[in-house]
Amino acid sequence: MEDHLAEILSTHTGRRSELIPILQEAQEKFGYLSDDVIAEVAEFTHVPESTVFGVASFYTQFRFVPQGRNLISVCRGTACHVRGAPMILDEVSRQLSIEDGGTTPDLEYTLETVACIGCCALAPCLTVNGKVEAKLNPKKVKDLLAKEKANEV
Amino acid sequence: MLDEIKFAIDGTQIKANKGDTILKAALKHGIYIPHLCDHPDLEPFGGCRLCMVEIKGKGLSISCKVPVEEGLEIITESPEVNKVRRIAAELLIASHHVDCLECARNTDCKLQDVASYIGIEEGRLKRLKRVIKDLPIDDSNPFFIRDLNKCVLCGICIRTCGEILNVGAIDFAFRGTGTLVATVGGKPILQSRCVSCGECVARCPVGALVPKNAERPTREVSTVCTYCGVGCGIKLGVRGGRIVRVRGDVNSPANRGNLCVKGRFGYDFVNHPDRLTSPLIKRNGAFVEATFEEALDLVASKLTDYKGDQFATFASARITTEDNYVVQKFTRAVMGTNNLDHCARL
Amino acid sequence: MKFEEIAQTAKEEWDALQASAKPSIVVGTATCGRAAGAMEVMEALRNELKEREIEANIMETGCFGLCDAEPLITIKGPGGPSVWYRNVTPEMAGKLVEEHIVKGSPVAEHALGAAGDGQVDGLTAMSDLPMLKFQVRRILFNCGVVDPSNINHYIATGGYQALNKVVSGMSPEDIIDEITRSGLRGLGGAGFPVGRKWDSCRRVPSDVRYVVCNADEGDPGAFQDRSVLEGDPYSVVEGMTIAGYAIGAQKGYIYVRAEYPLAVERLENATAQAKEKGLMGKNILGSGFDFDLEIFQGAGAFVCGESTALVLSIEGKRGMPKPLPRPRTTEVGLWDMPTLLNNVKSYSIVPWILTKGADQFASLGTERCKGTAVFSLTGKMANCGLIEVPMGTTLRQIIYDIGGGIPKGKAFKAVQTGGPSGGCLPAELLDTQVDFDKLTAAGAIMGSGGMVVMDEDTCMVDVARYFLDFTQKESCGECSLCRLGTLQMLQTLEAIVAGEGDPDDIDMLLELGEAIKTGSICGLGQSAPNPALTTIRYFRHEYEAHIHEKKCPARVCKDLISYVISADKCKACMICLRECPVDAIRGAKKEVHVIDQDKCIRCGVCMSVCPERFGAVECIPGRLTEADNA
C-alpha cells in the first residue's frame, strides 16, 4: 500500500488545497480511506489527522470501510423519486438483504443511494458498477439482480 | 487608550471598545444575550443562532460577529428576534438529554442559562420530536469524560484545540444531523493526539466534556503551579481540606488562564497518603523521618567531602529558571565541576 | 498564431466534414445517451459499416435535450437526406445502415424527424417538432450539434470570436459594460446581475484575483450544467477566459461534481486544446494576457453550491458556509483574494453576448430578466428533456406545448422548480411566467433550473418529505436551525406520511419553516423549508387527508394505502401470487387471488407484475386490514 500512496503523493506538493484531490486519488486506488492512508495524507499536507478525517467525512464521495466488489447505486433524484425510486430501493434492499449504505457479508455487493445520476428522463434508474439500468420497476430489479447473481458464480 | 464607541442596547446607552462585538459589549455591561457557541478567547463561530438581535435599520443579525459601531441601536427583545431565537433554543433542548440533576455541569451550564432566559413552555416543546443521540460515552481519558450525546456542536472544543493549543486532536466530522466532534474515525480520545490539557473541558458550555472528578469546591486558593518553571497562576478548588479542582488564573500573566495536563489534573498527589511530607534520613539501614534543618545540615556537611568531578548535580524543572541558574552556578563555582544535568533535557 | 488563421483551419475542417462524400453518422453520447445505450449503438453501427466495407464519418456529440429519444442519432447518406433516429438499439443498426446508407431511403418507423428544416417525404422537419419549435437555443446552441471534443468545431460555428474581439481591442470596462447592458442575471439560480458582480470584483484592489465556475450541480432533478459541460465545454472555457480578462484574473477554477466524469473529461480536453491553440495559457492570441484554468472535482456536498462553502472546498476544507456578516466572495474569496463566482450557464452565454451584442441578448425576456432560461424538464411528462426558452415563457407553455403535457391521460397536479430550495406550484399558477422574480413571488424559485412535473399520482406530502430528507442529509451541520430544524421538519413529515400526524403538525411546520428561513446561516437552510411551505400553501388538503383521514389521496405513502385485487378482473394466473415477496397473496389456479392485508408490505410488486391486459391489482387510499377482507 505504501508504495501506491507514495506514488500518488509524489505528484503533489503537499499544499492544503491538494487535500481533496489526494484523497480522491487514494480512494480510487484503494477503494476506501483507511486510517493509515489518512495519517499519511495528514502528515504530507501538514494538517492534523482529525482535520483530514473531518474533511473526508464531510463529502459523500469518501468511504472509510472497504466496499463490495459490485456497487449498486440507486438514484434518489427528484425525477426518480416521483417515478418510484423508493420502491426500487426497497426491492434492491430486500433482494440483497442490506440497507442503504450496507455491504453484503460476502463483500459481493454494496448498496448506496446517490443524489442524482442525471438520467432524469430514464427514471427510475440505478447503476451497477457505473452502468445505468433505466426505467425500472420492482420486477425488473428482481430480474436484474437474479441475472447479476448468476453471473457472479 | 482604546477608541471608545457609543451605541444603544434596548435604549440604554453603552460605551464599548472599538473592535468589540455587540455580544461582548453587552455581556461586559451585564446585559445577557443568549449564546452558546461564542467564547471570549476564540474567534466567533456564529453557529448556534441564539444571539440573534435586531439592529435598527438593518434587521436581524447574530450579535457575536458584528462589531459595535457608533450610534447602532440594538434591540434584544422583539417578536422577530423571538420567533427565531425561541425555535433555535427549543430545537437544541429537544435534542438534549434532560438528566440535568445527574449532569456534572448542572447549574454551570450555558444551555440551562439559555433555557431559563427563553422560558420553556412545555406545550410548545411537546410538539417537537425528541431527537436524542445514543452514542457510547468516551471515558478513555483518565481525567475527563466525553459524552457526545450532550454536545451542542458549538465547536468551542475544536477551536480551543486548534486556535489556542494548535494540537488539532478533534475536528468536526460528517455533516448534517450526523455531525460530530470527532477524532480520526471517531476513535476514543486517548488514541488521538490529545494532550489532555483539559482546556476544552474548561470551556465546554454543556455537559459534553466534564472532568471525571466533578466535585464542586467550597472555596478557592490562589497559588502558583509547582510543576515547572513557567509558574502558571492557578486557583485550587478546595473542599474540606482536599483539592478537588484546579483552574487557571485568568489574571496571571504567565498563563492567562490556560493550563497543561499536569497543572490542571495532576493534583492527586497533594492528598495522597504515600506523599512524603518531611525529609527522610537513612539511619542504620532504614529511613527515618527528620526535620528539614537536620536534612540540610547533613547534606551541607557532606558537600565539602565531594568537591570536584566526583560530584554531580541533577536539577529539576519544577524550580524556577532563576533557581536553576543558581544551581548551576553553585555546581560550577562552588563544587568545581561541570557534571550538571537537568530533568527537562530528557 | 493569429486568430484568423486558427479560424480558417477550423472552418476548413468543418466545411470538409459537411461536404464530405462519405455518409455521416452523429451519435449523441452524453451521459444520458450512454445510459440509454449510445455506446453500444455506435459500436454496432461501426460493425455494420465495416461488414459492408462502407467508410463513414462517425461523430460523437453532446446532449440534444430530447432525453426520451435517446439513444439519438443522425444519419446522413452520401448526398441523401439527413434524418434523426430515436431510441436506436444495436439491433436496429443493420437495418439503418442497409436502408438509409446503402439504399438511400430513410427508415420512417424509427425516424424522429428530418434534420433541420429538411424536407423528407413522410417525415416531420426537426424544427417543427413541438419539443423544439418553441425553444430558443442560445446556451444550448452547440449541444448535440458539434463534436464536443473538437475545438475546431466550436471555432467553426463561431466560437472564440468573442475572445478574439475582447483581447484585440475591448477594454475590461467595455466588456463589463456590455454584460451589464445585456441585463444578464446569474443563471445559477439566484439571479444576481452578472455585470455588477464582475464590476465589483474588478474594483477590489488586489494583484491576484480568481475566476471560479460553479459546476457543482447538486439539485437532484437538474442536469443542464452537465449537458452544457458535456456538449459545449469550450463555451464555458471561453466565457471564463473573457471573465478573467475583464476582472483582471489570471487563474480560474472549475468546480465540477466528481459524479460527472464525462464532463470532467471533456473539460480537461477543452482546456488542453485551447492551450494548444494559444487561446489559453501565456500571452493569449498575442495580447499579453495570461489565463489558466484548473479543474477541481467536488467530492459530493450539495451545500458547496453556496459561494463561501465552494471556496472552502477548493481550499481543501469542510464546506461549511461562513456566517454573515462577512465580506462578499467578490472581495474576499479563494485564499482571501477577490473571486468571481458564476454558474456554468452564466459563463457559457458570455461569448454569445459579446459576439451578438447586448441589445440582441436583451431582445428576449421580461422587463427585469433578459435572455433565455434552461430547464431540465422531468417527472410525469410526455417529453422529458433539456429545453431553453425565453425568460417570460409561461409554465403552461413549457409543460404543455413543449413537454407535451402529462402522459397516460393523468391530471396535472404540480410543477416543482428550483429543486430542494424551490417550491411546488399548482395548476392555478400555470400561467406564471418563468423568470427569477415571478417564480420567487409565487413561492418557488428559478434555482438550478430543475423542473419536475407531478401528476395526480404524486403525493405532495411525500414530495415535501423527500426534499426535507435531502436537505437534512445535505445540511452542513453548522447552524442549529438548519441542522436540527430540517431534521425536525423531516420527522414531522415522516410521522404524517406514516399516519401518525398530529393536528398541530401543520402549524408547527409553518412556524419551524419560517424560523429556519430567517435564522439559518446560508442559502441551503434559508430555502430548505420551501418545499414544505409551498406544499402546505397550495396543497393543504393533502396534509389534512393524511392527518385526519389517515389516507394518502395520491396513493403513494405506504402506510396509508392498500393494494386490492379486483375479483372481477383477476384471472387467477398465479403471477402475483408467485412474485409476492412476503407470500401475502392467497389463491390458486382458477381461484381469484386475495391479498392478506395484514401481511402485505405494500411494495407494489403485484401491481407491476399483473399483466396489463388484466389490470386486476388496484391501489387505493387508506389502510385496510384483514378484517376489511372478510
Side-chain angles (χ1 to χ4, degrees), chain C residues 166-235:
Chain C
V166 159
V167 296
S168 53
M170 277 178 94
S171 71
E173 289 78 9
D174 291 344
I175 301 169
I176 293 173
D177 186 51
E178 190 76 9
I179 300 290
T180 308
R181 279 201 313 115
S182 76
L184 175 67
R185 291 172 64 174
L187 294 169
F192 191 84
V194 172
R196 210 197 305 163
K197 197 189 258 187
W198 288 27
D199 190 46
S200 67
C201 190
R202 177 176 167 72
R203 283 169 191 277
V204 181
S206 175
D207 294 336
V208 180
R209 288 185 185 77
Y210 295 104
V211 174
V212 178
C213 174
N214 181 354
D216 189 42
E217 192 171 45
D219 168 2
F223 49 88
Q224 59 265 61
D225 289 352
R226 191 202 65 207
S227 288
V228 171
L229 294 172
E230 288 179 357
D232 196 16
Y234 303 100
S235 66

Side-chain angles (χ1 to χ4, degrees), chain A residues 59-60 76 78 81 83 118, chain C residues 220 226 300 317 379 462 466 558:
Chain A
Y59 298 96
T60 6
R76 60 176 175 106
T78 314
H81 181 79
R83 288 197 188 183
Chain C
R226 191 202 65 207
K317 297 170 186 163
D462 176 65
Y466 164 77
K558 267 186 167 184

Side-chain angles (χ1 to χ4, degrees), chain A residues 1 8 23-34 37 61-68 71 110 112:
Chain A
M1 184 203 86
I8 291 169
L23 293 174
Q24 284 169 332
E25 288 171 42
Q27 176 158 298
E28 176 81 29
K29 199 98 199 169
F30 308 117
Y32 74 107
L33 301 175
S34 65
V37 167
Q61 190 184 9
F62 298 113
R63 283 182 297 269
F64 306 97
V65 285
Q67 73 167 61
L71 177 65
T110 291
E112 64 170 19

Side-chain angles (χ1 to χ4, degrees), chain C residues 238-453:
Chain C
E238 186 186 355
M240 288 182 75
T241 313
I242 293 171
Y245 182 82
I247 66 156
Q250 299 183 342
K251 176 98 195 190
Y253 289 86
I254 303 181
Y255 188 96
V256 55
R257 292 178 76 190
E259 291 97 324
Y260 287 175
L262 184 62
V264 172
E265 187 189 315
R266 294 262 156 89
L267 280 170
E268 277 169 352
N269 176 62
T271 47
Q273 289 183 346
K275 254 183 216 171
E276 228 169 76
K277 297 262 183 202
L279 298 163
M280 197 193 280
K282 291 260 173 244
N283 192 18
I284 292 171
L285 293 171
S287 64
F289 166 57
D290 304 338
F291 190 75
D292 233 323
L293 266 183
E294 208 170 292
I295 294 153
F296 187 95
Q297 296 189 42
F302 179 65
V303 70
C304 288
E306 202 274 347
S307 62
T308 57
L310 188 147
V311 162
L312 286 168
S313 185
I314 295 181
E315 292 173 355
K317 297 170 186 163
R318 291 167 62 85
M320 290 162 79
K322 294 180 181 167
L324 287 170
R326 53 163 170 79
R328 288 182 180 281
T329 309
T330 43
E331 296 158 21
V332 179
L334 202 50
W335 296 295
D336 295 338
M337 295 299 163
T339 301
L340 177 70
L341 181 62
N342 279 128
N343 167 268
V344 171
K345 298 178 293 290
S346 305
Y347 285 121
S348 83
I349 194 67
V350 162
W352 194 101
I353 295 173
L354 291 171
T355 314
K356 306 247 161 74
D359 294 334
Q360 200 178 332
F361 178 83
S363 67
L364 286 182
T366 58
E367 197 188 327
R368 300 197 53 229
C369 300
K370 302 298 181 194
T372 56
V374 181
F375 288 100
S376 308
L377 194 55
T378 60
K380 308 286 184 65
M381 288 296 308
N383 309 321
C384 289
L386 193 65
I387 59 153
E388 183 172 358
V389 290
M391 294 274 185
T393 308
T394 65
L395 289 167
R396 188 185 302 282
Q397 285 170 314
I398 294 177
I399 294 165
Y400 288 94
D401 297 344
I402 298 176
I406 318 296
K408 298 180 192 164
K410 300 270 183 178
F412 170 89
K413 184 185 276 184
V415 54
Q416 210 281 350
T417 68
S421 312
C424 297
L425 304 180
E428 303 91 87
L429 292 176
L430 272 175
D431 291 312
T432 305
Q433 290 182 310
V434 295
D435 80 10
F436 295 106
D437 309 317
K438 285 167 184 148
L439 282 176
T440 306
I445 57 163
M446 188 89 132
S448 49
M451 190 179 278
V452 184
V453 176

